[in-house]
Amino acid sequence: MARETSGSAADGNGFDTSRRRFLGSSGLVVLGAAIGGGLPLSRNGIGIPEAHAQVAAPAAAKGPQYLKFPGKNEGLVVLGEKPLVAETPESLLDDDTTPIEKFYIRNNGQIPEETKDPDAWKITIDGEVNNKIEVTLGELKSKYKAVTRRMVLECGGNGRAAFSPPARGNQWTNGGAGCAEWTGVPLADLLKKAGLKPSAKYTAHYAADLHLSGDAGKPTISRGVRLEKAMDPNTLIVWAMNGKPLPNIHGGPVRLVVPGWAGSASQKWLTRITIRDREHDGPGMTEFSYRLAIKPMVPGGKADPANFRILESMPVRSIITNPANGAKFAAGTKELKLRGASWAGDLTVKQVDVSTDFGASWQRTTLEKPKNKYDWQRWTATIKLPSDGYFEVWARATDSRGAMQPHQAGFWNPQGYGGNAMHRIAVLVG
């Protein structure tokens, strides 16, 4: 059963839930914290942790800008306007299945107009195949067997705000992720029908969104994946999200979902998949785009493109979804009930631990099993509090191969990929 979080406005403890900050009787801020570390409050004293705001001035000085978009929760934080990018605060990710209105937004170009005839939308499969396929969405629904999977979709730059020095791009905290139920057909079914040539090695994805420049001949972004990932039965061409027609803002009427890998591979407004005989080199595939350093580089140093590899499976991550950062509890509160979520790209999560003493000691949480592969794993815990006062709660996940979340974002790279520092929230008792 889905869990809904509370709405905005001040609660009875003087905590402004719409702004995630403590307010004293005079309205002054008395507490703040952020992901990846105890970051200072914004300079103007409004109490928004700097990791929740855009890094570049003057946006950081003003605090976060909240989204105003039809059908979307107004708690989403805008990270960019051209193109539109908005992340979901961790406390809004407290549902087992992320509602559409709470799902993050990531665009690379202009948002296309909503199609008036979704079933007439055409998808082409060509390139290194024996038979070029052109199929409408209506035919996809009627001629292929549909499946529904609850799977995490995560932006490749999720966690970027924790890098030091700052990396280029939208300054995501942990909110570039969500876990929806996707309905569609495995891409493998279409590729099998097209007949892959022995030379087939890589996919190239194309879409209907217009480049920000307005140049119709210039792809906004065109990424692809190794053929092995394309043939994963969970890599889907989808037309429904949480049982409803895929919204235009999320790539409707049809998109790819390539679970476990950077969300940029999950092409929205999908029109064509070309099979290539080599690694794809479209926009978003070369130099430092969605790439990690092979040999660790000096943070902020000069990067060599030859030292970079493509980002594929996303790193392990856990978030605390309840209570929210900045929650205030009555004096004498002796225990705190926690809820959260965790995921690990192509892998699963083996355990999640929490700490209330800055990592000096850790307590194991109760970790749920995923509904299906690539689902996130919810977790719960009850922690004891020794006294009233200020506490930070840290969450640390470990994946099925033993890799553990670090205290801070490491392995710096120019565009800030792979940042999965532990999530930390601050609470005040009394």
Side-chain angles (χ1 to χ4, degrees):
M1 181 178 296
R3 307 183 187 100
E4 296 292 340
T5 55
S6 59
S8 62
D11 64 15
N13 294 316
F15 172 62
D16 180 350
T17 55
S18 67
R19 294 296 185 267
R20 301 183 299 283
R21 66 184 187 227
F22 287 117
L23 303 176
S25 58
S26 64
L28 298 177
V29 174
V30 295
L31 179 65
I35 71 155
L39 298 183
L41 296 177
S42 298
R43 288 183 294 276
N44 64 356
I46 63 171
I48 302 298
E50 289 188 341
H52 284 238
Q54 294 195 54
V55 169
K62 296 178 180 178
Q65 174 186 348
Y66 291 91
L67 183 69
K68 300 286 187 181
F69 193 91
K72 301 301 289 186
N73 188 289
E74 293 187 358
L76 269 64
V77 177
V78 176
L79 300 183
E81 294 182 341
K82 293 183 179 179
L84 179 61
V85 180
E87 74 168 340
T88 310
E90 296 92 348
S91 60
L92 288 183
L93 293 172
D94 199 35
D95 303 276
D96 292 344
T97 301
T98 307
I100 293 172
E101 62 267 21
K102 296 179 182 179
F103 212 91
Y104 78 97
I105 295 173
R106 172 66 168 111
N107 293 305
N108 289 279
Q110 300 182 37
I111 302 169
E113 289 187 15
E114 188 168 351
T115 182
K116 292 181 173 59
D117 188 2
D119 283 349
W121 188 277
K122 187 179 291 183
I123 303 165
T124 301
I125 309 289
D126 61 10
E128 299 299 306
V129 296
N130 296 320
N131 305 294
K132 177 181 175 181
I133 289 178
E134 290 186 340
V135 59
T136 65
L137 177 54
E139 292 170 335
L140 201 63
K141 293 176 181 177
S142 63
K143 296 182 178 180
Y144 292 84
K145 184 179 180 180
V147 298
T148 298
R149 301 278 188 271
R150 189 168 69 188
M151 302 187 293
V152 172
L153 186 67
E154 182 176 17
C155 179
N158 204 23
R160 181 181 286 134
F163 277 104
S164 182
R168 294 195 298 267
N170 299 301
Q171 296 300 304
W172 299 96
T173 59
N174 286 305
C179 192
E181 290 193 341
W182 308 98
T183 299
V185 300
L187 173 58
D189 290 357
L190 274 73
L191 298 183
K192 290 172 185 176
K193 183 167 183 178
L196 295 168
K197 293 181 178 179
S199 55
K201 293 182 179 178
Y202 223 89
T203 65
H205 312 152
Y206 297 92
D209 51 331
L210 185 64
H211 194 272
L212 289 175
S213 67
D215 184 351
K218 190 175 183 181
T220 296
I221 188 170
S222 178
R223 288 181 51 74
V225 298
R226 287 185 288 109
L227 198 58
E228 294 86 349
K229 184 64 175 178
M231 297 299 288
D232 183 325
N234 296 288
T235 295
L236 306 179
I237 298 178
V238 308
W239 59 78
M241 183 179 185
N242 293 350
K244 299 178 181 179
L246 185 65
N248 186 59
I249 189 61
H250 290 298
V254 62
R255 72 173 297 169
L256 271 177
V257 171
V258 182
W261 288 27
S264 52
S266 296
Q267 200 87 32
K268 298 162 73 172
W269 308 292
L270 181 69
T271 57
R272 179 163 59 98
I273 297 175
T274 297
I275 306 303
R276 302 198 61 181
D277 61 358
R278 68 197 70 181
E279 187 178 283
H280 186 39
D281 56 0
M285 288 294 295
T286 58
E287 200 177 35
F288 307 121
S289 295
Y290 301 99
R291 287 177 176 259
L292 301 172
I294 299 169
K295 181 175 70 175
M297 61 176 292
V298 175
K302 185 176 180 180
D304 177 6
N307 182 44
F308 279 71
R309 63 173 178 84
I310 291 175
L311 169 66
E312 292 186 342
S313 178
M314 294 292 287
V316 64
R317 187 183 303 275
S318 58
I319 57 173
I320 301 163
T321 60
N322 194 285
N325 179 45
K328 188 169 186 280
F329 297 89
T333 299
K334 294 300 182 183
E335 65 177 29
L336 198 61
K337 293 186 182 299
L338 306 176
R339 291 198 302 269
S342 57
W343 60 95
D346 281 338
L347 305 177
T348 57
V349 176
K350 182 171 68 175
Q351 68 186 64
V352 175
D353 300 286
V354 293
S355 175
T356 55
D357 54 12
F358 304 92
S361 63
W362 293 90
Q363 175 182 324
R364 186 75 54 89
T365 68
T366 299
L367 182 65
E368 296 179 11
K369 292 182 179 180
K371 185 175 181 179
N372 49 254
K373 187 172 174 61
Y374 299 112
D375 184 20
W376 60 13
Q377 292 171 250
R378 306 297 308 192
W379 57 266
T380 56
T382 300
I383 56 175
K384 302 293 184 182
L385 299 175
S387 66
D388 289 0
Y390 170 92
F391 294 92
E392 286 190 18
V393 183
W394 297 10
R396 179 188 71 189
T398 303
D399 71 25
S400 50
R401 291 183 180 170
M404 185 183 297
Q405 279 184 273
H407 286 266
Q408 64 184 41
F411 300 107
W412 190 93
N413 56 92
Q415 295 191 199
Y417 301 114
N420 65 330
M422 298 175 198
H423 183 209
R424 299 161 62 171
I425 66 167
V427 297
L428 188 66
V429 179

